[in-house]
Amino acid sequence: MKKEFIKINGLTKYFGESEMPTVKDINLTINEGEFIAILGPSGSGKSTILRAITGLMEPSEGEIIFDGKKVNGVNPYASIVFQTFALYPWLTVIENVELGLNAKNFPKEYSNRKAKELIDLIGLDGFEDAYPKELSGGMKQRVGFARALAVEPKLLCMDEPFSALDFLTAENLRTELIDLWTDKRMPIKSIIMITHGIEEAVLMADKIIILSKHPARIIKEINIDLPHPRNRKSPEFESLVDSIYSVFTKGKFSELEEEKVENIVQDSKDNIVKPVHIPKVHIGVMSGLLEMIDDNNGKMDIYQLGRDLMMEIDDLFPNIEGLTLLDFVNVNDGDIFITNFGKAFVEADTDEGKLIFKTQIEKISSFRLIMNVLGNKKNHTMKREFFKEIFMHHFPEDEVENVMDSIIHWGRYAEMFNYDHDSEELYLESEI
Ligand code: ADP
Ligand code: MG
């Protein structure tokens, strides 16, 4: 029978003055013996969730129950491995590992023996007395793992632990960690790994939690029943990766469509415009993607597109989000299709293209809001700060600048309005 280990109840987190939570109503149960991967685009709130579990951050709403007790303050039974580990340069490998143990007031001799064991376990024997500057990135990360494990945590948290390493080093460490875990050579009850790599999650985890962005919410939980060691090239593996791509796109983009419709409804009913999020992407990159889809008979597998371009979901998805907002593509079940508008845009010359682009953004609530304000002002000019304040009610605080940047980039490209960098004002060209 599965034994419940961690329970996250309605975890919600607001930052700053924003009325939009960064993390919204996360409910999740983690059982003993489970390796969980939390998958989501960067900036979605993954680290925030981990910080709540480890007690480094207090939730705005909700609670974390850890081994039957509510987390309140730093959780002494959880350790974290970060993307890059801050090792003390003036301490040797063994001293760096002992550090965590010393803090717990174990006898010196015990700490020393324990640290040696862990250094062996993690494959660094012979390097006990080396200094961090003598180690490669992969070896430093191994020290990080040893230090996190030294305190015998019940929960091992990893926040993108392999992202800073080259592919081979990362793959070796992943395999070794899985071996240690499946051989039960670490006394840990559960592992939570944060990642933005779909394949990494499928390679390692028993269960994958997929998050959306703005705010972070769980879109789906997927169990991975493949036995270890897993083969990235096997049909089962590939089909799982493919299906996660579709879950991701489905959750994200169908929601987006609904949001657009909702805006228009609200607009006609009571004149309240709810601005939609505009992703920070380059129009040239979106056009390039659109051309590729067009060249491929107007349809592409998103997973394949990502592979062909060697783009991580973090880079690819904002572009697809942008193309969807413009109604240049439709996304369905992991496939992306060019629309008639998209086709017209690809085939048009620059000036025609700009016109099509302008027609499309005129339908987007955030641009309509800007145009309503500029159109109604006598001098047709308004401070960037003004719009920023409005958008603060709709997007997380740190995202507002990005949204403003994108709106200005798109609006200028479409020659819808212009922007003066010095005065930080948006204005209608013809009126100046
Ligand atoms: P991820 O780990 O998924 O990349 P994070 O959890 O680090 O995302 O951050 C989610 C969002 O919350 C980001 O936009 C980030 O800027 C914001 N954020 C995180 N911590 C804070 C904080 N202490 N104060 C204000 N904003 C924060
Ligand atoms: Mg993070």
Side-chain angles (χ1 to χ4, degrees), residues 60-342:
S60 307
E61 289 158 21
E63 57 174 15
I64 318 283
I65 308 294
F66 185 97
D67 223 3
K69 280 200 222 65
K70 183 175 165 169
V71 173
N72 190 1
V74 176
N75 182 345
Y77 303 107
S79 25
I80 311 191
V81 177
F82 295 99
Q83 186 174 331
T84 48
F85 220 87
L87 300 177
Y88 294 97
W90 61 88
L91 297 180
T92 61
V93 165
I94 192 155
E95 286 166 343
N96 263 292
V97 176
E98 278 171 349
L99 211 63
L101 292 157
N102 293 345
K104 293 223 157 172
N105 288 325
F106 291 122
K108 178 87 190 123
E109 193 241 346
Y110 171 85
S111 298
N112 191 264
R113 184 158 44 84
K114 191 81 205 156
K116 275 198 176 124
E117 271 173 37
L118 278 156
I119 289 168
D120 275 1
L121 184 75
I122 216 78
L124 274 181
D125 35 333
F127 288 92
E128 288 84 354
D129 298 320
Y131 285 91
K133 66 168 188 292
E134 303 169 58
L135 306 179
S136 66
M139 287 159 101
K140 280 187 204 151
Q141 197 63 343
R142 282 173 196 270
V143 181
F145 273 105
R147 189 154 91 188
L149 294 170
V151 294
E152 300 201 342
K154 293 183 184 174
L155 172 72
L156 177 65
C157 297
M158 308 192 284
D159 194 342
E160 311 204 6
F162 309 109
S163 339
L165 306 174
D166 64 80
F167 182 82
L168 278 182
T169 309
E171 197 69 353
N172 279 336
L173 253 180
R174 286 184 193 112
T175 314
E176 288 175 36
L177 186 75
I178 286 296
D179 284 350
L180 291 176
W181 169 244
T182 49
D183 292 350
K184 303 204 169 23
R185 280 155 66 199
M186 304 182 289
I188 314 166
K189 292 189 177 175
S190 181
I191 300 183
I192 304 177
M193 176 175 75
I194 281 182
T195 175
H196 59 257
I198 293 181
E199 297 196 22
E200 177 173 280
V202 176
L203 188 75
M204 301 181 78
D206 302 315
K207 190 192 265 180
I208 299 181
I209 309 296
I210 302 182
L211 293 184
S212 63
K213 195 176 175 180
H214 308 130
R217 264 179 310 179
I218 296 180
I219 319 181
K220 193 157 174 103
E221 297 185 18
I222 296 175
N223 290 315
I224 310 287
D225 291 327
L226 301 177
H228 289 287
R230 295 176 183 163
N231 176 2
R232 284 175 184 266
K233 298 262 152 53
S234 74
E236 296 85 0
F237 191 98
E238 293 201 338
S239 108
L240 264 167
V241 171
D242 205 16
S243 72
I244 291 173
Y245 265 92
S246 17
V247 171
F248 231 121
T249 52
K250 209 171 187 172
K252 193 175 173 76
F253 301 111
S254 55
E255 218 166 82
L256 211 64
E257 301 267 307
E258 275 165 33
E259 209 172 302
K260 256 199 307 190
V261 175
E262 188 189 326
N263 280 328
I264 291 161
V265 173
Q266 277 192 330
D267 198 18
S268 59
K269 208 168 55 194
D270 44 21
N271 224 12
I272 297 167
V273 181
K274 183 178 147 216
V276 293
H277 178 257
I278 310 294
K280 193 160 183 178
V281 289
H282 202 273
I283 292 166
V285 177
M286 284 199 295
S287 312
L289 283 174
L290 206 55
E291 280 174 28
M292 284 183 66
I293 300 163
D294 190 40
D295 288 347
N296 200 53
N297 292 324
K299 180 197 161 196
M300 265 187 117
D301 184 321
I302 293 183
Y303 171 36
Q304 199 57 49
L305 191 65
R307 277 204 160 175
D308 287 355
L309 296 169
M310 291 194 217
M311 267 171 128
E312 294 258 17
I313 49 174
D314 275 354
D315 306 318
L316 189 59
F317 279 13
N319 282 290
I320 299 178
E321 184 186 349
L323 288 170
T324 309
L325 271 178
L326 289 160
D327 227 346
F328 284 169
V329 300
N330 278 321
V331 174
N332 192 1
D333 233 10
D335 288 326
I336 184 164
F337 301 87
I338 198 164
T339 61
N340 290 336
F341 292 121

Side-chain angles (χ1 to χ4, degrees), residues 13-16 22-23 40-51 57 159-160 194 196 211 213-214 216 314 396-399:
K13 182 70 186 179
Y14 294 88
F15 284 118
T22 295
V23 171
S42 87
S44 57
K46 303 183 295 296
S47 299
T48 303
I49 295 172
L50 211 60
R51 281 202 292 277
M57 181 213 80
D159 194 342
E160 311 204 6
I194 281 182
H196 59 257
L211 293 184
K213 195 176 175 180
H214 308 130
D314 275 354
E397 200 170 347
D398 57 291
E399 190 60 25

